[in-house]
Amino acid sequence: MIMTSRTEFASGGGACAAWLTAGRGPAPRPGVVLVHGLGATHDMKLDRYEQAFAAAGFTTLGFDLRHLGASGGAPRQIISLRRQARDVEAAWRYLRERPDVDGRRVALWGTSFGATHVLRHARRNPEVAAAVIQCPIVHGPSAALASGVRPMAGLVPSVLRDAARVFTRRRRHYVAIVGDPGERALVTVPGARAGWESVVPDGHRFDNRVAAAAGLEMMVSTEARSAHRVSCPLLVCVSDRETLMSPRTVAKVAERAPQGTANHYDADHFDVYHPPLVDRMIRDQVTFLTSTLSPDAHPPGGVETSSGVHSPVAEGDA
């Protein structure tokens, strides 16, 4: 087994816990930053991707977003798109600036809601070499409608209560991330709770809660509409039986991206993490990354870490 080492990097005045897996082959190697989904942490099935990508020659960096898992940040279980965008930016720069990594050949990989962060970072950073998204959640309104109008309306009092607590600097008010139909949670699609639990390894605990105001921010996020501004090669892995949002909306992301490619799979949102499908998807993703991150695709030249066309996340956290 290829060794993974624990590390960390600074982000927004705090630190993100990270896991670095060096790729096989001579340095400097291409790199891949792995961005997990809503409320998920590194121990929820990311190791399989790290091992496979490293075996193919890519140095990978997985990490926990701030306020989640092993990363810093208080209070816990806060999901802010702006803060998490800064974490993705910091992770990408951390890997890109390592001496054993070719900074011209660093890609982003995102699963579920992590795909929103990948698309956002890729459109803001033309230096991103390639991007892969699987079972992507990239359109908040579509994802909200998957659970139904009535369950979403039922969250409004919790959202308002939490927003008032932020304003008055009191302890946050939480709701569940995922629940069964009829429960109060951000996601109540049939089978979603079992799907979430299926990616939690034995002996680990999934903290199934989030500060309620995050729900409104995610519901209005529409990164799919900006896919035409993602200039790098983009692989969109579409789950044709997707239950958390419309697979047609997902497929349109690849159509809009100038260098977009869609691979379709007979899968729901959670099949992609389990055999036998996960092995097929990883093979397809390795093939794509091998092609787009090859030295021939990125001729030698200086690495600019802050080019004039780069549009970083605004300073400061929300």
Side-chain angles (χ1 to χ4, degrees), residues 297-314:
H298 301 272
V303 176
E304 303 222 0
T305 57
S306 57
S307 75
V309 291
H310 171 61
S311 302
V313 179

Side-chain angles (χ1 to χ4, degrees), residues 111-142:
T111 188
S112 191
F113 195 73
T116 282
H117 294 303
V118 166
L119 291 181
R120 180 169 296 183
H121 187 73
R123 71 173 168 82
R124 290 175 169 175
N125 294 268
E127 297 136 332
V128 172
V132 176
I133 55 177
Q134 65 172 31
C135 59
I137 304 301
V138 290
H139 191 268
S142 178

Side-chain angles (χ1 to χ4, degrees), residues 118-126 128 222-232 234 253 255-259 309 311:
V118 166
L119 291 181
R120 180 169 296 183
H121 187 73
R123 71 173 168 82
R124 290 175 169 175
N125 294 268
V128 172
T222 55
E223 199 60 38
R225 294 180 178 175
S226 302
H228 64 284
R229 294 168 58 191
V230 177
S231 59
C232 68
L234 171 66
V253 171
E255 294 174 9
R256 290 171 177 157
Q259 297 191 71
V309 291
S311 302

Side-chain angles (χ1 to χ4, degrees), residues 6-303:
R6 171 75 178 268
T7 184
E8 66 176 30
F9 58 85
S11 179
C16 288
W19 290 261
L20 187 73
T21 309
R24 288 177 176 164
R29 309 174 192 90
V32 183
V33 175
L34 307 181
V35 187
H36 221 322
L38 176 62
T41 52
H42 175 266
D43 55 21
M44 296 168 69
K45 298 292 186 183
L46 278 194
D47 59 329
R48 191 178 197 119
Y49 298 90
E50 291 168 337
Q51 290 290 311
F53 292 158
F58 312 120
T59 292
T60 68
L61 183 74
F63 66 101
D64 284 345
L65 294 155
R66 277 181 295 162
H67 302 276
L68 302 174
S71 287
R76 304 304 293 169
Q77 297 303 113
I78 302 298
I79 295 179
S80 160
L81 298 192
R82 191 174 182 182
R83 293 184 189 186
Q84 292 188 346
R86 289 197 56 153
D87 296 346
V88 174
E89 166 92 10
W92 181 72
R93 293 202 172 276
Y94 173 84
L95 186 60
R96 192 169 183 248
E97 293 168 2
R98 287 184 58 87
D100 58 337
V101 171
D102 183 344
R104 296 165 296 113
R105 296 189 289 152
V106 175
L108 294 172
W109 176 97
T111 188
S112 191
F113 195 73
T116 282
H117 294 303
V118 166
L119 291 181
R120 180 169 296 183
H121 187 73
R123 71 173 168 82
R124 290 175 169 175
N125 294 268
E127 297 136 332
V128 172
V132 176
I133 55 177
Q134 65 172 31
C135 59
I137 304 301
V138 290
H139 191 268
S142 178
L145 288 173
S147 289
V149 175
R150 182 172 295 179
M152 291 298 99
L155 290 173
V156 171
S158 293
V159 170
L160 295 177
R161 182 179 177 185
D162 186 41
R165 285 172 172 254
V166 171
F167 184 75
T168 56
R169 298 185 178 183
R170 291 181 292 164
R171 291 185 61 184
R172 301 295 296 268
H173 175 64
Y174 293 87
V175 296
I177 294 174
V178 60
D180 292 321
E183 295 181 340
R184 181 169 294 183
L186 293 186
V187 181
T188 57
V189 172
R193 179 194 284 273
W196 242 277
E197 292 172 350
S198 73
V199 300
V200 180
D202 293 341
H204 292 254
R205 174 180 171 270
F206 170 54
D207 194 346
N208 186 23
R209 63 192 177 111
V210 62
L216 179 61
E217 187 179 16
M218 288 182 286
M219 279 184 239
V220 299
S221 173
T222 55
E223 199 60 38
R225 294 180 178 175
S226 302
H228 64 284
R229 294 168 58 191
V230 177
S231 59
C232 68
L234 171 66
L235 176 62
V236 181
C237 299
V238 185
S239 295
D240 286 333
R241 292 187 286 104
E242 176 64 69
T243 53
L244 301 193
M245 68 173 297
S246 166
R248 185 173 300 178
T249 300
V250 173
K252 286 182 179 179
V253 171
E255 294 174 9
R256 290 171 177 157
Q259 297 191 71
T261 300
N263 282 4
H264 289 259
Y265 301 90
D266 181 20
D268 66 16
H269 190 78
F270 298 98
D271 289 335
V272 303
Y273 301 108
H274 304 286
L277 183 59
V278 64
D279 300 309
R280 176 188 164 197
M281 291 187 70
I282 287 176
R283 287 195 300 269
D284 292 346
Q285 292 168 7
V286 165
T287 297
F288 171 82
L289 290 170
T290 299
S291 172
T292 57
L293 300 183
S294 70
D296 292 340
H298 301 272
V303 176

